[in-house]
Amino acid sequence: MNLDVQSLRTFSRLAHSGAEEAAGSLTTLTGFDARVAVTKVEMATRADVEREFRERDLVTVHIGFSGAIEGQTVLAFDRDRAISLVDALVPGASDDPDSDLATSGLKELGNIMLGGFIDGWADFLGDGIDITTPTYVELDAGQSLQDVVDDSEFDTDGQFGAEVHDDADFGAEIDSNHVLAFRNHLETVDEEAGFYIYMLPTQDSVETIVDAAGDADDAIPVETFTSFSQMISEGAGQASEDLTAMTGIDTNVDVSRLSFVPVEGVPMELTDEARRGVVLEFSGTPSGYIAILFDPESAESVADALMPGMDADPEMRKSALQEIGNIVTSGFLDGWANSLETTIEISPPTYVDDIASAIVDPLVTELARTQDYAFLIDSAIATPDETFTCDIYALPDERELRAAFDQLAPEAN
Amino acid sequence: MKVYSSDRSTDQSSSKRIKVGVADYAVAEAGSTLVTSGLGSCVGIALADVDAGVAGLAHAMLPYASDEQDGDGGAGDATGDEPTDDRPAGAKYVNTAIPGLLHSMEETGADRSRIEARLAGGSAMFEFSSGDGGVGERNVVAAKTTLETYDVPLVATDVGGDYGRSLSFDATTGELSIRRAHGENHVI
């Protein structure tokens, strides 16, 4: 199967307008004034999606779809959010959030929101898409997405009923190690915490949409994206090892993700709280920008770890963070150069201590001069004991990255 | 069913906080506050007709729509002129965001002759070797020029520097409050 940038844009637009429909339904039904903050097409592995679900205390409503395309949609919200929603839908039901009354309220909400989300895809494909009855699922730390799918009363006939279907076909599709996931973040005006709509189409369905939307000349085998995702994971792993070697503190890669997002959506992914770290420019195939950011406490912890027992002044702490930025960037990018058989040069680090979204704004603005969408690579390296977290954002030039993909393609075949 | 649209001006009740995204603008009426975060080289253009109680805030990324056409699939070509989502068309560029916002404000009851502008952002945080640099500064120049073209007086600015800004615009008073990562809030 091949994917091209035109298809990714179409995917992004369809997912976004679907999410707007869903946000409109939410506003109508609950009075919460919701809007779509960011729509991302993630070249994710199943494990990545699972991790995101696990890390948050999410309650979810699942609806399967079949017909022109097949797959699963998931409406997820924070538990607190779910309770306030239930109260808006069925006054009084939130007194007993586990009651059937409460969960059926959420299921009905899911039915309308996800139904609206799917409609646009059916219109685009000019063919019908049926949705199944909604299933309410509470995710907990021990449950994987696979369990959820297996547990779901997945009813491909779209008939009402609570029979548990052992839908082996669907399970097998989701079981593939890479999926395209459409992640839509909805937010209400007064709160950051929001709602997420995930759409996980089967691989065959992705192919169906690519056939309808794509530009075959420009297509890249989907395995290339997988190879690239793998390369990003390895880079994050190397950066994590180097960080551990430098600080003497064990670290793990928490997140490592490749996504395709409208350029203006990138700063909106970041907080408007202060972050410290470095920004670097890299050049080669591809060139681009990288930001290594720490929250203020993490920045202090890292500087302390580098200079144990020293009463370091602010300038020394700044140098320590710059050095960390250098090390993490080299670890992160060296593997790319090897895999892509190219040289990637890295500029000296510029120290930053500013609003996180404002730090990436000039990076994205440079890219926006020549591209509407960006491949965003985001990784997080964290210590198990929460001493510090290091966020890495890399923004390669889109066309140069496509050229780099050509280098990766033969390996994938 | 009510269809949600980007025209957030129509359903504003009192004391609302309205978020303006990147490459976005919105209009609000007295009692509301327009907010936008993370201006680096981007500029925030805040317009208000205080007498009518109508205000608008734009968060634009690049100076001119026509200047940035330098590649296939890039900003400024056929696809670049369409917003990628519900944000208003043209909100990405200073020279198209200003007339778009003025028009939306007039539709909400503002009188063009009373509208005053405040401008913030356009900083130079980094010096990139690849870019032709100075996007922040060019954004500021484009905003001043465009406001002049439309005869909108610019009453206060907080532009340039090497730091980011987040904005909060009071639609009742027309005061623009500017927050940095460190230091006091600053009102213009």
Side-chain angles (χ1 to χ4, degrees):
Chain A
M1 180 179 68
N2 294 330
L3 258 184
D4 59 273
V5 169
Q6 188 52 43
S7 296
L8 289 172
R9 287 182 186 174
T10 305
F11 287 157
S12 181
R13 269 198 285 268
L14 284 171
H16 196 98
S17 56
E20 278 173 7
E21 282 294 318
S25 306
L26 180 71
T27 303
T28 308
L29 288 168
T30 65
F32 287 93
D33 191 3
R35 64 179 298 213
V36 184
V38 184
T39 295
K40 284 166 84 180
V41 181
E42 290 184 357
M43 273 58 86
T45 64
R46 208 187 83 208
D48 296 333
V49 179
E50 284 174 8
R51 187 162 38 215
E52 173 138 22
F53 281 15
R54 254 200 319 272
E55 276 171 3
R56 299 159 189 262
D57 186 19
L58 296 178
V59 296
T60 60
V61 175
H62 294 237
I63 288 183
F65 57 91
S66 61
I69 48 171
E70 289 182 31
Q72 185 89 346
T73 49
V74 180
L75 173 66
F77 16 67
D78 301 329
R79 188 173 304 273
D80 293 349
R81 266 307 195 180
I83 291 169
S84 57
L85 277 177
V86 164
D87 227 21
L89 287 166
V90 193
S94 64
D95 296 344
D96 181 5
D98 295 325
S99 69
D100 284 349
L101 190 62
T103 56
S104 65
L106 286 178
K107 283 200 282 192
E108 186 51 27
L109 181 66
N111 203 17
I112 293 168
M113 287 179 70
L114 295 175
F117 180 80
I118 289 293
D119 277 351
W121 298 74
D123 289 345
F124 174 76
L125 294 165
D127 201 353
I129 301 175
D130 299 320
I131 61 170
T132 66
T133 50
T135 314
Y136 173 77
V137 183
E138 286 199 47
L139 292 172
D140 61 44
Q143 202 175 21
S144 72
L145 186 62
Q146 185 66 58
D147 293 337
V148 169
V149 171
D150 288 346
D151 286 352
S152 297
E153 293 141 14
F154 191 74
D155 181 348
T156 47
D157 301 329
Q159 292 162 353
F160 288 93
E163 297 163 64
V164 177
H165 285 238
D166 183 14
D167 196 313
D169 280 351
F170 183 75
E173 298 276 11
I174 282 282
D175 196 34
S176 68
N177 60 2
H178 55 91
V179 290
L180 265 193
F182 302 90
R183 177 182 184 276
N184 300 277
H185 179 191
L186 275 57
E187 62 182 16
T188 51
V189 282
D190 51 346
E191 287 192 56
E192 294 293 330
F195 313 83
Y196 297 90
I197 296 174
Y198 278 88
M199 177 186 181
L200 305 165
T202 61
Q203 281 204 38
D204 285 350
S205 300
V206 171
E207 207 155 345
T208 303
I209 311 166
V210 170
D211 285 346
D215 170 4
D217 294 341
D218 188 30
I220 297 159
V222 75
E223 291 79 8
T224 303
F225 289 101
T226 318
S227 305
F228 188 64
S229 287
Q230 184 70 32
M231 199 173 92
I232 294 165
S233 299
E234 285 166 10
Q238 187 60 50
S240 166
E241 278 180 33
D242 296 347
L243 202 49
T244 298
M246 262 197 107
T247 59
I249 302 171
D250 274 342
T251 63
N252 297 317
V253 178
D254 253 14
V255 181
S256 158
R257 217 166 16 207
L258 170 65
S259 52
F260 187 73
V261 60
V263 282
E264 61 272 18
V266 178
M268 288 167 15
E269 283 279 287
L270 279 81
T271 172
D272 63 351
E273 300 293 316
R275 291 290 180 268
R276 290 164 62 181
V278 295
V279 167
L280 305 97
E281 203 176 347
F282 55 93
S283 53
T285 309
S287 57
Y289 305 97
I290 191 162
I292 316 277
L293 303 179
F294 298 88
D295 59 79
E297 296 76 25
S298 292
E300 288 301 311
S301 303
V302 167
D304 284 344
L306 271 188
M307 301 176 288
M310 284 174 65
D311 190 16
D313 63 29
E315 274 308 306
M316 287 169 74
R317 292 181 169 274
K318 192 171 145 179
S319 308
L321 278 182
Q322 279 179 304
E323 191 48 31
I324 288 282
N326 261 335
I327 298 292
V328 170
T329 305
S330 314
F332 197 69
L333 292 182
D334 280 354
W336 296 23
N338 289 337
S339 302
L340 300 170
E341 293 173 19
T342 180
T343 312
I344 297 178
E345 295 198 10
I346 302 167
S347 75
T350 304
Y351 176 78
V352 283
D353 178 358
D354 214 316
I355 299 165
S357 47
I359 294 170
V360 299
D361 167 273
L363 282 49
V364 170
T365 301
E366 285 297 328
L367 294 180
R369 295 171 57 239
T370 56
Q371 61 193 66
D372 291 324
Y373 285 84
F375 284 102
L376 169 67
I377 294 148
D378 65 298
S379 295
I381 296 171
T383 60
D385 61 357
E386 297 179 2
T387 308
F388 66 81
T389 303
C390 169
D391 291 314
I392 306 170
Y393 299 92
L395 288 157
D397 179 276
E398 184 212 291
R399 269 167 287 173
E400 290 173 3
L401 185 65
R402 271 193 272 160
F405 280 159
D406 290 340
Q407 187 64 42
L408 276 177
E411 253 178 60
N413 293 329
Chain B
M1 187 194 293
K2 181 190 160 217
V3 177
Y4 183 80
S5 81
S6 65
D7 187 7
R8 278 161 271 150
S9 59
T10 52
D11 39 85
Q12 301 314 327
S13 53
S14 60
S15 64
K16 271 202 170 173
R17 187 171 167 272
I18 300 152
K19 251 181 128 160
V20 176
V22 180
D24 189 16
Y25 61 69
V27 174
E29 293 180 76
S32 303
T33 306
L34 290 154
V35 296
T36 197
S37 28
L39 293 167
S41 53
C42 290
V43 282
I45 303 144
L47 305 178
D49 172 356
V50 177
D51 289 350
V54 177
L57 181 64
H59 182 150
M61 295 181 89
L62 293 164
Y64 295 103
S66 54
D67 271 6
E68 307 292 341
Q69 298 179 5
D70 53 354
D72 66 324
D77 68 3
T79 57
D81 292 331
E82 297 164 20
T84 46
D85 49 44
D86 64 328
R87 290 177 190 99
K92 193 185 271 182
Y93 304 96
V94 172
N95 76 324
T96 46
I98 290 174
L101 183 55
L102 283 171
H103 181 69
S104 295
M105 288 173 69
E106 284 177 306
E107 281 186 334
T108 316
D111 185 328
R112 175 77 67 91
S113 65
R114 286 195 304 248
I115 295 177
E116 292 186 331
R118 287 170 173 78
L119 181 66
S123 73
M125 296 168 70
F126 310 110
E127 278 179 33
F128 296 124
S129 64
S130 54
D132 60 356
V135 175
E137 201 181 326
R138 286 193 286 131
N139 277 336
V140 170
V141 171
K144 288 180 175 171
T145 311
T146 310
L147 288 169
E148 213 173 283
T149 306
Y150 289 91
D151 286 328
V152 179
L154 179 60
V155 296
T157 62
D158 178 14
V159 296
D162 59 358
Y163 44 83
R165 296 167 172 91
S166 287
L167 308 180
S168 175
F169 189 39
D170 186 327
T172 312
T173 62
E175 283 181 340
L176 183 65
S177 172
I178 298 146
R179 182 175 70 83
R180 296 192 208 167
H182 303 288
E184 298 281 301
N185 283 5
H186 170 54
V187 178
I188 60 171

